Amino acid sequence: MAVEGMGRTTSVEVITGSPETIYTYVIDGVRDVIRTLDVQAEDAEDEVVQSEIVAGLHLLQAKVAGKQEELKASADWRHFTVALYGETNAGKSTIIESLRIHLGEPAKLAERQQYDELKAAHGLGEDALATVRDAIDAARTATVLASSRSEQLTLAAPVELQALQEQIERERQQTLAVHAARPWWKKLLGFFQRGASGLVDPMPQVVELQQRQQQQLQLASAEVAAAEAALLAAQDTLDRRMRMMPELLANADGGIIGDGRPDFTRATQRYVFNGGTSPIVLLDVPGIEGGEKDVKDHIDKAVQTAHAVFYVTGKAAQPQHGDKEDGTLEKIKRHLGPQTEVWAVFNKRVAGPMPLRNGGDLFASDADGMDDLSAGLRIALGANFKGVLPVSAYPAFLALADRLPPMEALNDEQKSLRDRNTARAKFLSEFDTDALLERTGFAAMARHLSNMAVDAPRKIRLANIHKASQSLQDVVAGLEHHAVSMEAHANKVTTETTAVQSKVDIAEQQLVASLRSESADALRNLETTVRRYAYELVESGIGNDELKSKLQQRLEECAEEMQEVLGKTFKETVGQFQGEILHAAERFQKHLKDLDQVAGEQMREMGVPTFTMDLKVDNGVSVVGLVTTAMGAALMLFTGPAGWVVISLSAIGVVLSLAKAIWGLFDTDFKKSQQRKAIDESLASATKSIRADLEKSERKVRDAVETACVEAKKRLAGPQRSIKTQAAVLRLSVTRLRALSMSIDTTLA
């Protein structure tokens, strides 16, 4: 392997070994990267940060392993598999159905055989159905005629009977009239002769008529019954055949093609072709522009399974970017990025023969659009994109589909399918099947598909290896973004840290300068106050002993006052210092929180384990509390007992005693001048001593402040150190994982 010591499998063994070797190689490689990072950190503080990132990388390892398991579960190692992927209603199913017929896919052959058997056994052909329809029409006509005849006979019978009876009555009256007109002797003679009256019995005629009418009605009824029976039989025959139509339709050509409804293909369909040197599998993938969330798993699994992809589109144009949501181009890049071989299939819509009539190229007018399509996909997919295949699938399908369902097989929801027989007849009236397949580009695409399966075992292996490698590259890309983000935020935190540390330094310098200035002002005020008081005593003619006593007393009083004033002043100054430190720390903490929030949002979008930045200033110790504690001890030097003011009273006494020995030899003015001189010398000595003690106390305060500020800046630098450690460990993991990925790519190349 490219990364020395990683895993137990070599990259050469990935190509030549078993399918399991590929996934073991990647998973072991990630495990080895984590192992190199999972070591004792040089600094105890770094160990916590590093442990957190390593824990995140373990989650990443689980993610990679899960992805490899998905690939392993969906990978096909026996059949060269091509997925037809693309927009909804782009014609994927039409292309596949045409290929199934053209290449003799076994399942399609079985369907067509079943179609023929059903058609022959149940009379489901158009001619047989037409014969039944003619029989129904004839039987219906016969039924109407027979019923009409029966009705006419029924209506005519009483009229005919009445006419017979009236005729018989007229004949009887005529006979009676003739008889009445004969002579008396003929009448007498006729009396003795049988039948001499001449009257005929009418009943035989009536009975004969009624019998004849009854026979005619019976014949008419029989004709009606026979016609109705024939109609029922013909309708029953049609009904029985219609009940077989769904089964015929299920086996007809074009059953997998959409009927105009969106998202007709809801799940991936798999079709195996046994022709040629190697079996080919075609996957009919649900459309990516319909209810994609409902079919996402089917799409993902299909493209994971496929060794090559036909991206089918009905537009000779570059796929569109999305605005707020992913557009077609983003979906293509996401779904097809791991593929080693992607072809675009431009399916031109042709509804009638006219575009095919001239002998030129059907796709000549689409050349520029196909160039744009090719350019866009090459940008999205790089070297994995191979080119554009133009085809017009609908005419090719009609040329091949000689098992189209009769009209009776289609319901109202399938109106769009009713035109196929008519459209097929139109195309075939001008072109034979072979000519249509060539002119539509279908024959060329079918040959291309067959050629793709050449050297199938090697292509299958390389495609599966590439997907396994790509899943690792996706992780590396995510970690790279993560590392870059970490480094960028580390730089921002470093800038913020430098700024707040500078503010601490400035606040420290201002505090020390303020303390020094306030001490000097207080000491000058003490010296001025005591000198003025002592000079007033001298002007009053005070004696040396009393002057010495009062001078000492006043010095002590002023020293105590100075201590009290300095204590209050220093407390206010230190309070301001603490406020500045607090403000700087709070602003720093706010900036860190803002950075942490921004970083967290960015990292959550990267799809990799998010490692907590934990940009806390304190780490359990309050910066302001730290300074306050240190300054509190220092302020005790100023706010405690007055012992810190060491006034050298012995020096004052020596000066005054010396002056006393000679004062009597001179006049009063000289005495006063000597007293003032002694006062000045004594004050100089006292202020020098006080100044020395103040400077000593100031040094202690400065030391305390410096120590507190150094510790504060160290604490403030904690987040910077933490995020830099995170960035460094992430950068190292990216480097190691990229080396692992490159070792696979180098082998594939």
Side-chain angles (χ1 to χ4, degrees), residues 607-626:
V608 295
T610 299
F611 312 124
T612 305
M613 291 177 66
D614 194 22
L615 299 179
K616 292 190 214 175
V617 172
D618 298 333
N619 289 334
V621 179
S622 170
V623 172
V624 177
L626 179 71

Side-chain angles (χ1 to χ4, degrees), residues 293-349:
K293 64 181 180 180
D294 300 325
V295 295
K296 179 180 181 300
D297 290 341
H298 293 285
I299 295 174
D300 290 342
K301 186 172 182 180
V303 296
Q304 285 177 1
T305 302
H307 307 118
V309 173
F310 281 176
Y311 164 61
V312 182
T313 177
K315 304 171 186 175
Q318 189 172 133
Q320 296 298 307
H321 285 282
D323 294 329
K324 295 182 180 179
E325 298 181 354
D326 283 352
T328 302
L329 195 60
E330 287 80 10
K331 293 176 182 178
I332 291 171
K333 188 172 183 179
R334 183 175 73 246
H335 289 145
L336 306 186
Q339 298 297 326
T340 57
E341 188 174 359
V342 179
W343 295 84
V345 175
F346 166 51
N347 182 22
K348 184 170 184 175
R349 298 184 184 278

